[in-house]
Amino acid sequence: MRTLLFDTDPGVDDAVALAYLLSRPDCELVAVTAVHGNAPVATTADNARALLRLAGREDVPVAIGAARPLAQEPAYAPEVHGEDGLGGQRALLGPPTPPSGSRAVDEILRQSERHPGRLDILATGPLTNLALALLCDPELPRRVRSVTLMGGAFDMPGNVTHAAEANIYHDPEAADLVFAAPWPVTAVGLDVTLRVALEEEDIASLAASDHPLLAAVGRMCAHYAEFYRRFLGRRAAPQHDALAACALFAPHLFTLRRRRVRVERRGEYTRGMTVSLRGGAGEAETAVAVDVQAEEARRHILESLAALAEAGRR
Ligand code: BDR
Ligand code: CA
C-alpha cells in the first residue's frame, strides 16, 4: 500500500492518471495539490475537484497551489488540453466546485508530517509547489519516501523546444531544486511516455463506459488524440502522466538508470533542458526511466481503469 500525494495540473493525461490512481486498491490517495501548467491554477484546481466529484471521491482534499513559476511568466497549453484543460469537456463535469481554502505547500508539509517516512509524491505538472515546499521546510525530504515525476527529455528532443519538455520548461528553477534535493526522485520523461498511448479503439471504449469518470476521460482523450495526430501520424493519446503513476505501482515495466540530473536555467536556447552530469560523489541522483515495456504498460493502464468501472458497478 502506498500513501500518496498527487501534485498535478489537470490536464487530460493528468485526468487519466487520477482515474488510474483511484482504480488502485494499493493506493491511499491522501491529497491532491493543484499547480499552474496546462491551464491557470484556479482552473486546474477546479478540474481536480470536479474529477474527484465525478468519481464519488470528494473525501480526497484538493489544495490550490502556485499560480506562477518561480522566475518567469506562466504559460498554458490550450492547444493540447483545450482552454478548460480538459479537452473542452469541463462543462460536462457539473457546476464549478467550491475551493477548500487550503494551500498546496501547507498540504504537502502537513501530509509529510502526518505520514513521516511513508509519503510518496507523484508530480505531473510544473514542479513549483514542490520547490516552494522545499524552500519553506528544507527538512521535508527526510519525511518523504519518494518523489516520482513526469518530466524531462533525457536522450531525445523536448516537446516545447528542442531542448525542453513541458513540465520542466514551465518552471526550470523549481525543477532544478527538486532534482537537487536529498530525496529519492524517479523521473519518467518523454523517452518513455511518448511510447505509451491509448489508441482510437481504447478511447472509444472508455468514452462508452458506464463509469462517469471513465466516460469523461474517454471524451477528453478524443480531443487530445486529435492534437497528437500530427506528431504521431495517427489519432492516439500518449499517457505521460498515467505512465509516471505506473512507475509507482508497476515498476517492473520500467528500466531505470541512475543519473545526476540538473536543469539548464541560463541557456539561451536550452532553458529547461534536463542534463545528465558525470561524477559528483555524494550529490543527489535520480532514477531516470530509459525504457518501458510499452504494450504491457498500455494494457496495464486499461486493465486498471476497467477495474475502476467494475468496482463502480458493485
Ligand atoms: C506533460 O506536459 C503536460 O502537457 C502533460 O499533462 C504532461 O504532464 C508532458 O510533457
Ligand atoms: Ca500534467
Side-chain angles (χ1 to χ4, degrees):
M1 180 64 83
R2 288 190 178 274
T3 303
L4 189 82
L5 182 145
F6 183 31
D7 187 71
T8 177
D9 62 337
V12 173
D13 56 329
D14 304 76
V16 181
L18 179 62
Y20 171 84
L21 295 174
L22 296 176
S23 80
R24 304 285 323 165
D26 47 356
C27 175
E28 185 199 2
L29 184 60
V30 293
V32 173
T33 50
V35 67
H36 70 89
N38 291 321
V41 72
T43 302
T44 62
D46 172 65
N47 289 347
R49 290 189 297 264
L51 291 163
L52 285 164
R53 180 173 64 192
L54 205 59
R57 290 299 310 272
E58 284 164 288
D59 57 300
V60 178
V62 177
I64 192 162
R68 45 178 302 142
L70 297 185
Q72 65 191 28
E73 291 302 313
Y76 311 118
E79 65 292 355
V80 191
H81 298 267
E83 288 290 342
D84 63 1
L86 296 181
Q89 305 301 316
R90 172 63 188 88
L92 301 177
L93 307 190
T97 57
S100 69
S102 108
R103 298 279 163 189
V105 170
D106 296 334
E107 192 67 42
I108 293 167
L109 297 179
R110 185 164 46 240
Q111 294 295 348
S112 72
E113 279 154 9
R114 197 171 283 169
H115 308 283
R118 290 199 298 117
L119 185 68
D120 294 300
I121 297 177
L122 172 66
T124 62
L127 293 161
T128 321
N129 288 343
L130 267 57
L132 289 171
L134 280 170
L135 292 170
C136 285
D137 183 355
E139 294 298 308
L140 173 65
R142 289 184 198 279
R143 301 192 300 276
V144 169
R145 181 158 83 155
S146 71
V147 173
T148 300
L149 62 91
M150 189 285 133
F154 294 89
D155 297 314
M156 65 174 291
N159 57 356
V160 180
T161 66
H162 190 75
E165 179 278 333
N167 286 340
I168 308 298
Y169 182 81
H170 286 131
D171 198 340
E173 281 72 17
D176 194 58
L177 285 170
V178 169
F179 281 115
W183 48 15
V185 176
T186 299
V188 180
L190 296 179
D191 309 68
V192 289
T193 65
L194 274 173
R195 294 175 45 205
V196 179
L198 296 186
E199 301 297 333
E200 222 168 340
E201 58 276 20
D202 305 329
I203 295 169
S205 81
L206 279 176
S209 170
D210 55 8
H211 190 288
L213 178 60
L214 297 185
V217 300
R219 290 193 299 265
M220 291 171 207
C221 282
H223 170 281
Y224 178 75
E226 192 56 48
F227 169 82
Y228 270 102
R229 188 212 292 255
R230 66 190 143 113
F231 298 103
L232 302 176
R234 66 188 198 283
R235 291 184 82 246
Q239 293 306 309
H240 306 289
D241 295 347
L243 192 69
C246 293
L248 277 162
F249 295 98
H252 61 280
L253 296 172
F254 296 84
T255 305
L256 304 174
R257 292 268 181 273
R258 300 201 68 76
R259 296 187 182 178
R260 194 157 68 91
V261 176
R262 299 307 295 260
V263 177
E264 181 61 73
R265 287 157 291 151
R266 285 184 290 271
E268 188 178 353
Y269 304 108
T270 55
R271 188 167 152 78
M273 184 179 195
T274 38
V275 182
S276 302
L277 303 176
R278 285 169 195 252
E283 287 204 33
E285 283 188 341
T286 297
V288 175
V290 295
D291 199 6
V292 64
Q293 296 175 44
E295 183 48 27
E296 286 79 354
R298 171 181 154 272
R299 258 187 285 135
H300 168 77
I301 293 170
L302 287 170
E303 282 164 14
S304 299
L305 298 179
L308 183 65
E310 188 51 44
R313 276 181 220 115
R314 278 191 239 118

